[in-house]
């Protein structure tokens, strides 16, 4: 619904906003991984009285950024824990003068011993969090211990994934100014109420002292979930001290260097299997690199370990996970939220198991995929009617998997340097917040009846290109039979919209959409009888998928009644409301990690067809099939776009995107040498859906946004291993890494 404005160029991103008297802000950062600040020197050739300068002493409340914990300072005071940590803020009306001033400030830091890897041994002087630098530990236990010693097969493996940069189109940016005695923040963000919580804590003021407004967002992928709180705080501190508006816009290099990334992982599998390929026992250890501060690492670990055993039936499962401190920039939210790391390990390991016991990968999975009545690692009973084995077989048929697998065996024997292979992954992804997360959020949605008969949806959920505005408009319109042009979605503004939770966790269409549907029903019930005829027989309150032939006049009765209500109640607000209620069928124990981790799962099989050139060690994906069950597909075009975007991002993570670090920070923080897929690097991405309506979402919809990130990396690497007859256990599989793996025996 916002496409026309973007096409015309009338949409305003935060950097497009022209504000009279605005100052431009910048951040002075640490240049070492860990150290003690001993001084800050200002070059006397600069007229510093022309600049606004802020340090930790200007913070009115606690010098703490609120995430899960309060361990991260907004501005370092005495010590720094990572390279690029913010220490000082400056602002000036001239961007060029600001750049010169940044170069004229020197921060003196006495280096301290740093933790460079989550796997290194820790001397006492390296302990910076708790007693062991571990941010979070999680144990999942299911079933009695089988005898691994007596199992016909016990297969072990280690699997590693690296950092990944978000590379959203629009860099991080915020604008802060004072308005009628309160601080107003405009910017690209996924979670306006996260920013509000951070501001109220750091400034020690009530929520009414702030107004947080989401501007157009040029992509997020999780990168604009937690980090915007930091840059919003910085802009607000400068604006308050200056008494003028301040805009901070990162350039690409600063954005890549300083902001959060996907957590690197190392996952160990030890699996007992019988001679028929049945999984007897799974022992899994997950280690994540959290970086210097906690941020969102505990919940990333949570989703990662819950998905670590995947969509497979096994009576005995032990999963242990840790996320550990290192003196690197903190890692945070990224599409998939821990599941891509553990599912990469699992789906590679399933192919390794198949090879070791002499079974086809598809047959191994077919014998172990969960069916209704069986339980996941947390003991959640499957009951959504999805037949994963049939889905897998359909995806393999669509990709001509058997035919190509046999065909490539012959071609690979004959061609001197081209190798072809085909591989796949089967996986699932929980929709919505983990466990009792949605209950704690207690999200609210309002739908307002306007005097002219239109309705307005009020939520804090943001559109960052994934289609939130379109989908919520469609859900509301279908709920009360209105034409689409009679529904508008409010700009997320904490002074106007309720806290409907963050735009994360594949929850917007399913969880928030269901609340929109209920709020619309509540609105219709309030105006029932306000018009000239009883409404119950004339208003369709059940959500349905909009058909092309649906008449715009079907919502006329509701609109007439809304207008009549306003005539009878001039100046009053007409608002339908809905608040999240935990389904009676859902039960979760946070202490033991037992029960229903998610209200439902989305399911998928992805198949990748690859070509490897042994002259250059370049891997190219030639064809890609993505089949998924996401409940009812609300908007087929946007749903397919979500899948294609996730696949492209997953291919980049698998083959190209390598973060090179030096002295604890990103060294290749520019687009010339951090490589993401171009159109020429991507295959035709053929998207297919299976639909089985869920009771938890509007019109039966489930979550979709994160699911396609989980499958590409293992599918692609399984295909590469099939092509080369080798076993690759870490990504990205860059040409340099593949060459080392094949020529020197170093696992890539």
């Amino acid at each position: 619904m916002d496409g026309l404005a973007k096409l015309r160029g009338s949409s305003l991103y935060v950097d497009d906003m022209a504000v009279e008297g605005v100052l431009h802000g910048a951040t002075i950062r640490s240049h070492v991984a860990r150290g003690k600040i001993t001084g800050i020197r200002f070059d006397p050739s600069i007229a510093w009285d022309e600049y606004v300068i802020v340090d930790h002493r200007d913070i009115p409340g606690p010098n703490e950024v609120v995430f899960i914990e309060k361990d991260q300072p907004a501005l370092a005071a005495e010590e720094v824990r990572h390279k690029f940590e913010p220490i000082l803020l400056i602002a000036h009306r001239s961007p060029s003068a600001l750049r010169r001033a940044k170069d004229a400030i020197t921060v003196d830091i006495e280096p301290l011993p740093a933790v460079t890897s989550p796997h290194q041994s820790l001397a006492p002087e390296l302990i910076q969090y708790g007693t062991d630098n571990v941010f979070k530990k999680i144990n999942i236990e299911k079933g009695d211990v089988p005898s691994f010693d007596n199992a016909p097969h016990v297969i072990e493996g280690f699997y590693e994934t690296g950092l990944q940069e978000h590379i959203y189109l629009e860099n991080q940016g915020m604008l802060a100014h004072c308005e009628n005695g309160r601080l107003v923040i405009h910017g690209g963000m996924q979670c306006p109420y996260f920013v509000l919580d951070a501001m109220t804590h750091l400034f020690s003021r009530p929520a009414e002292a702030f107004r947080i407004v989401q501007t157009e967002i040029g992509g997020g992928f999780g990168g604009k979930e937690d980090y915007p709180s930091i840059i919003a705080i910085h802009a607000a501190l400068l604006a308050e001290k200056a008494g003028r508006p301040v805009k901070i816009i990162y350039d690409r290099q600063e954005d890549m260097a300083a902001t959060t990334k996907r957590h690197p992982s190392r996952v160990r599998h030890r699996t007992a299997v019988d001679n028929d390929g049945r999984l007897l026992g799974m022992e899994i250890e997950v280690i994540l690199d959290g970086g210097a501060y906690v941020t969102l690492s505990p919940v990333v670990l949570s989703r990662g370990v819950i998905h670590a055993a995947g969509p497979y039936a096994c009576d005995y499962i032990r999963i242990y996970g840790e996320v550990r401190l290192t003196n690197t920039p903190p890692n945070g939210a990224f599409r998939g939220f821990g599941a891509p790391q553990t599912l990469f390990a699992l789906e590679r390991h399933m192919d390794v198991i198949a090879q070791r016991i002499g079974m086809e990968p598809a047959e191994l999975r077919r014998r172990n995929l969960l069916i209704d009545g069986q339980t996941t690692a947390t003991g959640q009973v499957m009951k959504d009617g999805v037949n994963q084995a049939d889905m897998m077989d359909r995806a393999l048929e669509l990709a001509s998997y058997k035919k190509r697998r046999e065909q490539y065996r012959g071609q690979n024997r004959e061609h001197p340097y081209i190798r072809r292979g085909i591989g796949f992954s089967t996986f699932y992804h929980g929709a919505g917040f983990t466990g009792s997360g949605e209950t704690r959020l207690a999200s609210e949605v309002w739908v307002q009846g306007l005097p002219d008969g239109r309705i307005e949806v009020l939520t804090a959920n943001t559109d960052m290109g994934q289609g939130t505005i379109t989908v919520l408009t469609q859900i509301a319109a279908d709920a009360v039979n209105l034409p689409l042009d009679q529904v508008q979605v409010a700009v997320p503004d904490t002074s106007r919209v309720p806290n409907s939770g963050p735009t994360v966790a594949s929850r917007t269409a399913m969880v928030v959409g269901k609340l929109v549907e209920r709020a619309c029903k509540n609105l219709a019930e309030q105006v029932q009888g306000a018009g000239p005829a009883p409404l119950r027989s004339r208003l369709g309150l059940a959500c349905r998928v909009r058909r092309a032939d649906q008449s715009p006049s079907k919502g006329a009765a509701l609109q007439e009644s809304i207008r009549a209500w306003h005539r009878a109640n001039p100046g009053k607000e007409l608002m339908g409301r809905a608040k999240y209620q935990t389904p009676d069928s859902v039960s979760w124990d946070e202490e033991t990690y037992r029960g229903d981790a998610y209200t439902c799962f989305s399911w998928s099989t992805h198949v990748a067809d690859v070509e490897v050139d042994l002259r250059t060690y370049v891997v190219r994906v030639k064809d890609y099939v993505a089949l998924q069950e996401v409940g009812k597909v609300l908007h087929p075009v946007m749903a397919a776009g979500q899948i294609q975007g996730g696949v492209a991002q997953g291919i980049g993570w698998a083959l190209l995107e390598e973060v090179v670090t030096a002295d604890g920070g990103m060294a290749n923080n520019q687009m010339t040498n951090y490589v993401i897929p171009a159109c020429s690097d991507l295959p035709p991405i053929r998207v297919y859906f299976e639909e089985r309506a869920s009771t938890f979402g509007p019109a039966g919809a489930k979550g979709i946004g994160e699911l396609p990130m989980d499958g590409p990396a293992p599918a692609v690497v399984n295909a590469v291993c099939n092509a080369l007859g080798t076993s690759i256990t870490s990504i990205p599989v860059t040409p340099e890494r593949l060459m080392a793996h094949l020529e020197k025996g170093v696992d890539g």
Side-chain angles (χ1 to χ4, degrees):
M1 301 298 290
D2 61 342
L4 189 59
K6 290 177 178 176
L7 184 65
R8 290 172 171 168
S10 57
S11 291
L12 294 180
Y13 297 87
V14 65
D15 198 23
D16 298 322
M17 297 179 68
V19 180
E20 186 176 353
V22 68
L23 303 180
H24 301 273
T27 311
I28 309 301
R29 303 181 181 277
S30 167
H31 53 85
V32 301
R34 184 185 179 210
K36 182 179 180 181
I37 301 171
T38 58
I40 301 176
R41 291 178 284 130
F42 296 85
D43 188 329
S45 66
I46 301 291
W48 294 109
D49 58 343
E50 296 179 3
Y51 293 79
V52 181
I53 301 174
V54 165
D55 65 15
H56 66 94
R57 295 168 296 183
D58 295 295
I59 294 173
N63 185 11
E64 301 165 342
V65 182
V66 172
F67 293 126
I68 290 174
E69 295 189 14
K70 301 170 184 174
D71 63 326
Q72 184 173 2
L75 292 170
E78 298 177 354
E79 290 188 355
V80 293
R81 267 201 204 169
H82 66 85
K83 196 173 185 180
F84 309 123
E85 182 159 7
I87 298 170
L88 194 75
L89 307 171
I90 61 172
H92 194 274
R93 64 184 182 279
S94 165
S96 59
L98 190 67
R99 287 191 292 270
R100 288 193 298 271
K102 281 184 67 177
D103 294 336
I105 297 174
T106 303
V107 180
D108 296 319
I109 301 176
E110 177 186 332
L112 294 172
V115 180
T116 58
S117 165
H119 310 291
Q120 79 182 71
S121 299
L122 295 180
E125 63 270 19
L126 293 174
I127 302 298
Q128 301 157 64
Y129 183 92
T131 60
D132 54 6
N133 278 357
V134 176
F135 292 144
K136 181 74 174 180
K137 301 176 184 179
I138 297 175
N139 276 293
I140 295 177
E141 299 184 359
K142 175 190 177 185
D144 297 325
V145 180
S147 176
F148 272 70
D149 293 338
N150 296 326
H153 307 279
V154 177
I155 296 99
E156 295 191 48
F158 286 86
Y159 306 90
E160 294 186 322
T161 67
L163 292 156
Q164 187 182 18
E165 166 62 28
H166 297 90
I167 304 292
Y168 25 66
L169 288 173
E170 179 204 18
N171 297 341
Q172 298 272 5
M174 290 285 165
L175 169 68
H177 62 98
C178 294
E179 178 185 88
N180 299 324
R182 64 179 172 180
L183 275 168
V184 180
I185 305 293
H186 289 83
M189 63 190 84
Q190 294 177 225
C191 315
Y193 274 88
F194 280 13
V195 176
L196 180 62
D197 289 345
M199 299 290 285
T200 58
H201 180 76
L202 185 124
F203 283 86
S204 294
R205 296 172 194 165
E208 294 75 24
F210 305 95
R211 179 180 168 221
I212 314 299
V213 186
Q214 175 240 331
T215 57
E216 295 284 357
I217 308 177
F221 310 118
K224 293 174 183 174
E225 178 176 348
D226 48 351
Y227 198 87
S229 293
I230 294 174
I231 190 169
I233 285 170
H234 291 170
L237 286 169
L238 284 167
E240 186 157 87
K241 188 168 185 178
R244 293 172 62 179
V246 172
K247 183 188 289 187
I248 299 179
I249 308 293
Y250 289 174
D251 64 21
R252 182 64 70 179
Q253 287 180 285
E254 182 177 21
D255 198 307
M256 294 175 72
T259 64
T260 56
K261 293 173 179 47
R262 186 182 300 282
H263 291 72
S265 72
R266 178 183 290 179
V267 180
R268 174 182 175 269
H269 275 266
R270 183 170 180 255
T271 310
V273 187
D274 70 15
N275 287 322
D276 293 325
R278 301 285 181 182
L279 299 175
L280 302 175
M282 305 173 75
E283 293 182 344
I284 306 169
E285 180 186 72
V286 179
I287 305 297
L288 299 183
D289 180 347
Y293 297 106
V294 171
T295 64
L296 297 172
S297 287
V299 284
V300 172
L301 177 69
S302 174
R303 187 173 286 264
V305 296
I306 287 171
H307 286 78
Y312 299 109
C314 186
D315 291 335
Y316 168 74
I317 299 174
R318 291 292 186 273
I319 305 171
Y320 174 73
E322 286 186 2
V323 58
R324 300 173 178 171
L325 175 148
T326 59
N327 291 116
T328 60
N331 297 311
F334 201 131
R335 189 179 198 170
F337 216 73
Q341 293 94 312
T342 56
L343 287 169
F344 168 75
L346 174 68
E347 285 302 290
R348 274 299 298 127
H349 192 62
M350 290 296 285
D351 264 32
V352 169
I353 292 171
Q355 191 273 330
R356 296 275 182 89
I357 68 175
M359 184 177 287
E360 283 291 315
E363 184 58 31
L364 175 68
R365 289 169 171 83
R366 189 175 293 109
R367 295 184 183 193
N368 291 286
L369 284 166
L370 286 164
I371 61 175
D372 277 10
Q374 293 179 324
T375 58
T376 67
T378 67
Q380 181 167 352
V381 179
M382 291 293 96
K383 51 190 174 185
D384 63 2
V386 175
N387 188 319
Q388 293 186 83
D390 284 354
M391 276 188 64
M392 179 186 71
D393 289 340
R394 181 187 171 203
L396 297 180
E397 181 64 28
L398 288 165
S400 302
Y401 173 82
K402 291 182 180 178
K403 177 182 177 181
R404 291 183 181 184
R405 196 172 174 89
E406 185 60 34
Q407 175 187 341
Y408 295 160
R409 286 194 185 104
Q411 291 180 0
N412 290 343
R413 286 193 295 267
E414 296 174 2
H415 201 285
Y417 55 83
I418 296 295
R419 299 291 181 267
R420 294 292 298 270
I422 191 166
F424 70 98
S425 59
T426 54
F427 53 99
Y428 66 179
H429 196 98
F433 265 58
T434 299
S436 54
E438 292 291 350
T439 303
R440 289 195 301 270
L441 279 174
S443 299
E444 282 192 80
V445 165
W446 302 339
V447 174
Q448 184 171 17
L450 303 175
D452 62 3
R454 291 176 302 128
I455 65 173
E456 182 179 35
V457 177
L458 293 99
T459 84
N461 294 92
T462 64
D463 194 318
M464 52 189 139
Q466 85 280 33
T468 293
I469 293 173
T470 299
V471 168
L472 294 186
T473 299
Q474 179 179 323
I475 291 168
D478 287 338
V480 287
N481 292 309
L482 282 178
L484 294 172
D485 62 2
Q486 296 301 296
V487 179
Q488 66 185 43
V489 177
V491 172
D493 177 341
T494 58
S495 69
R496 281 204 70 216
V497 303
N499 188 355
S500 53
T503 311
V504 301
S506 299
R507 66 184 298 273
T508 300
M510 189 183 84
V511 177
V512 179
K514 191 69 171 179
L515 292 175
V516 169
E517 183 184 279
R518 287 175 46 210
C520 285
K521 181 176 181 179
N522 179 256
L523 174 68
E525 289 171 345
Q526 289 184 57
V527 299
Q528 183 178 345
L535 283 183
R536 187 164 296 278
S537 63
R538 299 175 61 191
L539 291 178
L541 300 179
C543 185
R544 58 180 62 85
V545 176
R546 180 163 296 279
R547 301 185 305 272
D549 62 348
Q550 194 164 355
S551 169
S553 64
K554 287 192 175 183
L558 173 65
Q559 292 190 286
E560 186 179 340
S561 295
I562 290 173
R563 289 191 287 266
W565 187 97
H566 277 286
R567 288 194 296 270
N569 301 274
K572 291 188 177 180
E573 189 175 71
L574 173 61
M575 197 76 76
R577 302 173 189 269
K579 191 170 185 176
Y580 182 81
Q581 298 172 341
T582 305
D584 293 337
S585 60
V586 174
S587 175
W588 175 253
D589 188 323
E590 194 72 38
E591 295 299 318
T592 63
Y593 265 62
R594 303 297 297 162
D596 301 309
Y598 305 98
T599 54
C600 63
F601 291 87
S602 299
W603 310 83
S604 194
T605 295
H606 285 194
V607 190
D609 187 325
V610 307
E611 177 182 281
V612 184
D613 190 328
L614 295 179
R615 299 169 301 176
T616 62
Y617 300 97
V618 169
V619 177
R620 291 194 178 278
V621 184
K622 306 297 287 185
D623 186 38
Y624 201 97
V625 167
L627 171 65
Q628 38 277 313
E629 188 281 326
V630 292
K632 188 68 178 177
V633 178
L634 296 177
H635 195 295
V637 173
M638 288 199 308
Q642 282 273 58
I643 302 301
Q644 289 169 332
V647 169
Q649 207 162 31
I651 289 173
W653 187 45
L655 298 178
L656 301 171
E657 297 183 41
E658 182 174 22
V659 174
V660 178
T661 58
D663 302 321
M666 186 176 185
N668 59 326
N669 56 318
Q670 50 192 343
M671 296 296 291
T672 53
N673 51 8
Y674 181 83
V675 182
I676 64 172
C679 291
S680 59
D681 298 310
L682 296 172
I685 300 171
R686 297 189 280 142
V687 177
Y688 302 90
F689 293 101
E690 290 199 5
E691 294 185 278
R692 180 176 290 275
S694 166
T695 60
F696 300 106
K702 296 181 184 177
I704 188 173
E706 293 181 292
L707 179 75
M709 187 71 220
D710 295 337
V716 167
V717 178
N718 284 343
V720 173
C721 294
N722 172 245
L724 299 175
T726 188
S727 181
I728 295 170
T729 58
S730 70
I731 55 173
V733 187
T734 62
E736 295 83 358
R737 288 181 170 209
L738 184 58
M739 182 176 70
H741 174 75
L742 294 178
E743 294 188 351
K744 300 178 183 178
V746 177
D747 199 355

